Amino acid sequence: LMFLSGLEIDFDLILQRGNRNERPPWLKGILFFITAMAASGVIAYSLYGAHLVQHPLFLTFILSTTSIGIVTPALKEKGWLLVPYGQEILVYALLADIMTLIFVAAYTTWHTSGNAASVLLVLVLLFIFVAVYRILKAVKGVRMFSVVENATSELGLRGSFALILVFLALAQLLG
């Protein structure tokens, strides 16, 4: 769901600079995530103090996530995906989801292996994802690919599922 919701996002908005009096969307998304983490941390450590949970940091990560698979259909139903405000909300949800996934993966990797090098493999996968995104964005302008993309074979959707399989294989390979 996260991957398919990513097809709705205007990724140029993430790196866009804000107006003079406004912060850029990526910075507002990170501030949103930090606020959610702080509120989640208060709840998780309160539950830890009441002896209801054993791993408050893990619970903090879990409570701070925002499901982009739920946010995207809600915005689409309201017709907000096509307006800048809706795209900005989508960016906030995406950043919160991705950052939470990275933290949860690092936390579980650290606690299962006790090895910092294993945590770096998560970052390697993220680096590969960014590199593939940049390559696909550069290839998009090539005339041959734009002709094929407009064909009726739904190449974009098939390519998306192929990318999901490639990243699944990479994740399995990296452990």
Side-chain angles (χ1 to χ4, degrees):
L1 284 175
M2 181 188 289
F3 188 86
L4 292 176
S5 294
L7 296 175
E8 300 287 344
I9 295 176
D10 179 10
F11 279 97
D12 294 331
L13 181 67
I14 294 175
L15 300 176
Q16 178 184 18
R17 294 182 178 267
N19 298 336
R20 287 184 180 174
N21 301 330
E22 195 176 324
R23 292 184 178 101
W26 64 267
L27 183 59
K28 288 193 276 186
I30 290 173
L31 292 173
F32 169 79
F33 176 69
I34 290 170
T35 304
M37 281 281 278
S40 300
V42 168
I43 294 169
Y45 280 94
S46 297
L47 292 173
Y48 178 72
H51 304 290
L52 296 173
V53 296
Q54 293 179 351
H55 300 281
L57 187 58
F58 184 73
L59 185 60
T60 300
F61 296 145
I62 297 299
L63 291 176
S64 66
T65 191
T66 304
S67 177
I68 196 160
I70 294 173
V71 172
T72 303
L75 291 174
K76 195 170 198 167
E77 182 179 321
K78 289 286 190 185
W80 289 3
L81 279 180
L82 303 176
V83 297
Y85 180 68
Q87 284 292 315
E88 204 165 303
I89 290 172
L90 210 52
V91 167
Y92 298 167
L94 175 75
L95 288 173
D97 247 3
I98 288 175
M99 292 170 78
T100 302
L101 283 175
I102 290 170
F103 288 147
V104 166
Y107 182 86
T108 55
T109 301
W110 177 267
H111 280 284
T112 56
S113 70
N115 187 353
S118 297
V119 175
L120 293 177
L121 292 177
V122 174
L123 297 177
V124 167
L125 189 61
L126 184 64
F127 174 75
I128 292 171
F129 177 76
V130 170
V132 167
Y133 170 73
R134 294 281 187 175
I135 290 168
L136 290 176
K137 189 172 180 178
V139 168
K140 187 177 182 179
V142 176
R143 185 178 181 279
M144 178 182 78
F145 289 105
S146 63
V147 170
V148 173
E149 183 180 357
N150 293 330
T152 60
S153 63
E154 296 181 10
L155 188 63
L157 186 62
R158 293 174 190 218
S160 298
F161 281 110
L163 277 176
I164 290 172
L165 291 175
V166 166
F167 284 116
L168 180 67
L170 275 172
Q172 186 66 33
L173 180 70
L174 294 174

